[in-house]
Amino acid sequence: MMGYLRHRAVTDALALLALGVFAGLLATWLDAFEHLVAFLAHHEEIEADELLAAVVLTGWCGFIYALRRLSDLRRESRRRRQAEGDADWMASHDPLTRLPNRHFLAKLMEQREARYRSAEPRTGVLRIDLAGFKQVNDALGHLAGDGLLAETAERLRAAFPDTTVLRVGGNEFMVIMEEALPWTLPWSAQRALKAVRGTVKEAGEEIEIGVRVGAAAVPEHGPTLREVLRGADVALQAARQGNRNEIRIFDPAMRAQMQARAWLDRALPAAVQSGAIRPYYQPVVDLAGGHVAGFEALARWRAPDGRFVPPDQFIAAAERCGLIGTLSEHLLRQVCEDAAGWPAPVWVAFNLSPLQLADSLLARRIIAAAREATLPAQRLEVEITESALIQEPEVAQRVIDELRGAGIRVALDDFGTGYSSLALLSRFSFDKIKIDRSFIRSFRGDEKQMKIVRSILGLGLGLGTAITAEGIEEAGQQRLLRELGCQYGQGYLFGAAMPCPEAASLLARNQPERKQPAA
Ligand code: C2E
Ligand code: CA
Ligand code: CA
């Protein structure tokens, strides 16, 4: 716009100049001035000379007026340029932390791509996010959340002076280090972690900040900044699966993992709806009698390519995608139906995900599923892990009480892997404790592990709680556990999880009256 105006001003000036020169030449050629003087002298009566003077004066005034408007126009256009600059700054910066934002990053990538084509210069990238930021926001309010972000930005800026530090998302920051040497990448990631972690005082509370860092570099992990940003993102996602303070440098295997996760998230909804995820049943044996006392239902998903997707993975995906409730409901209905067909008193145990315990209607849903399938409540057991009890103890307490009130047994799963706090055992009432397989694997050769297993068994005896030992793979483990008074055993020695018809035929062969030892 300004260019167009300038161009018009120049052409106008040239045209006027040409017109002036032409008029001057014409006037010289016609002796116009002499004629004018003679004309003025002859028309003294009508004050022609004064009139001419007035016309000339008005012309000059017009000229001065035009100059003043021109200067106004200049000032206005300067102001507009400055405002445009401010708007540009605002569009490319985050107002809270005053750090460059995603638009800035997009421009930076465009510039680099235009300038370097495919081979961009050496650059290190750190993607940083805060663990537990959402909780701070929820518990202490948005002002505290904003304060935390501003403080983080300040710490990163101080740790990386003369380096581009950006805020690229809610609680995600980025450091772009031009000309970074390859060996400095882990060191820089450490520096970011150390700078940000620690406590911050917000809203009168000391907040412990956890930091996750994903790092990648041009050209080690990709030829362009755009690709390396994706690599650093993959590394950050891997870091998010670790501890509160975690650093991950990009590695191509991570990409495969992330692709697998993305596939899971895409394929899972259809698998849940179509019932492709089915319960299998792993026998649980009465160690003294040697017969099958019940089964643990374990979810199995055979993907279209024929391979089984590990349950840890699809259960985690169902939790991520908010599908765990639906999946669990489908499975439980099937499990109750299958178990209702087994001879009494064979029972079935069903696993609950910690997330489900937040559902205050959970117990009612479970009771209804058993009733619909005409499975007596005494033949249904639910398994809960410690983490579920710690996250929402009040809701968990209510769910457990309701289930037990209806006659459904509640087992504490994977005992020994989490907090294994005695407070949990005193606060909640369980009908069964399942000792995690990591203890059973090594307890025979390990004096200390043996003592722990013995103590858990003593604890169960004292509390009147049954104990199941998980992961029994050898006859020796079975013998020893029986001698120690462990009531139930489960593991590959007795059988892995199997489809319902196989479980039914195992039961037909293995009834207590016949007393066929399972091993
Ligand atoms: P979990 O509840 O601890 O289940 C026992 C796991 O140990 C099962 O793994 C089982 O196959 C495995 N296992 C059994 N015996 C042995 C043995 O002798 N040696 C070894 N090494 N492993 C043994 P799986 O089926 O892969 O399940 C893994 C986890 O996935 C389960 O751990 C449970 O937390 C979860 N899961 C499985 N099915 C469901 C489900 O229907 N709902 C929910 N919420 N979680 C489920
Ligand atoms: Ca279990
Ligand atoms: Ca377990």
Side-chain angles (χ1 to χ4, degrees), residues 234-262:
V234 165
L236 178 62
Q237 288 184 46
R240 284 197 188 117
Q241 270 140 52
N243 293 322
R244 253 178 100 74
N245 292 296
E246 190 84 40
I247 292 175
R248 291 289 166 85
I249 309 284
F250 176 77
D251 149 1
M254 279 177 193
R255 182 158 282 152
Q257 266 171 28
M258 290 301 144
Q259 277 164 351
R261 258 175 72 135

Side-chain angles (χ1 to χ4, degrees), residues 296 298 351 383 413-414 434 470:
E296 176 178 0
L298 292 164
N351 289 285
E383 299 190 2
D413 201 1
D414 301 345
K434 300 188 75 173
E470 295 187 305

Side-chain angles (χ1 to χ4, degrees), residues 103-260:
H103 294 288
F104 181 96
L105 183 65
K107 264 198 206 150
L108 182 71
M109 279 189 290
E110 271 168 28
Q111 279 167 6
R112 285 175 63 118
E113 276 162 359
R115 183 151 18 129
Y116 303 112
R117 301 276 164 226
S118 59
E120 292 186 18
R122 183 167 280 300
T123 310
V125 174
L126 306 177
R127 296 189 84 133
I128 301 153
D129 90 354
L130 305 179
F133 171 73
K134 192 179 170 304
Q135 283 89 319
V136 171
N137 238 356
D138 291 349
L140 301 178
H142 289 280
L143 270 182
D146 285 356
L148 182 55
L149 291 173
E151 173 69 25
T152 305
E154 212 36 66
R155 290 180 182 190
L156 281 173
R157 233 191 315 241
F160 295 93
D162 310 320
T163 310
T164 313
V165 178
L166 306 99
R167 178 180 174 211
V168 288
N171 64 337
E172 195 181 327
F173 295 84
M174 190 183 282
V175 179
I176 297 182
M177 299 165 292
E178 312 262 354
E179 305 301 329
L181 294 168
W183 53 267
T184 59
L185 193 64
W187 181 74
S188 300
Q190 271 293 346
R191 184 144 50 115
L193 187 125
K194 278 194 188 139
V196 181
R197 76 188 286 184
T199 51
V200 171
K201 209 167 168 125
E202 284 300 336
E205 301 265 348
E206 293 258 317
I207 306 167
E208 182 72 36
I209 319 184
V211 192
R212 270 100 38 134
V213 184
V218 178
E220 286 79 14
H221 306 121
T224 60
L225 178 61
R226 197 179 288 277
E227 231 168 279
V228 163
L229 284 180
R230 257 183 254 131
D233 189 33
V234 165
L236 178 62
Q237 288 184 46
R240 284 197 188 117
Q241 270 140 52
N243 293 322
R244 253 178 100 74
N245 292 296
E246 190 84 40
I247 292 175
R248 291 289 166 85
I249 309 284
F250 176 77
D251 149 1
M254 279 177 193
R255 182 158 282 152
Q257 266 171 28
M258 290 301 144
Q259 277 164 351

Side-chain angles (χ1 to χ4, degrees), residues 39-114:
F39 176 82
L40 294 176
H42 274 101
H43 294 84
E44 194 53 45
E45 73 286 356
I46 57 164
E47 309 284 7
D49 49 353
E50 276 75 11
L51 272 175
L52 182 69
V55 168
V56 170
L57 202 66
T58 311
W60 274 107
C61 287
F63 183 64
I64 291 167
Y65 177 79
L67 277 184
R68 284 181 58 83
R69 292 293 72 79
L70 196 66
S71 128
D72 283 351
L73 196 67
R74 273 231 183 99
R75 206 172 312 127
E76 178 57 31
S77 75
R78 205 177 316 126
R79 237 198 324 260
R80 195 177 307 164
R81 260 204 309 276
Q82 200 173 353
E84 275 171 9
D86 286 350
D88 226 31
W89 190 93
M90 275 168 61
S92 62
H93 285 74
D94 162 44
L96 173 68
T97 58
R98 305 189 70 74
L99 290 179
N101 62 12
R102 263 185 192 288
H103 294 288
F104 181 96
L105 183 65
K107 264 198 206 150
L108 182 71
M109 279 189 290
E110 271 168 28
Q111 279 167 6
R112 285 175 63 118
E113 276 162 359

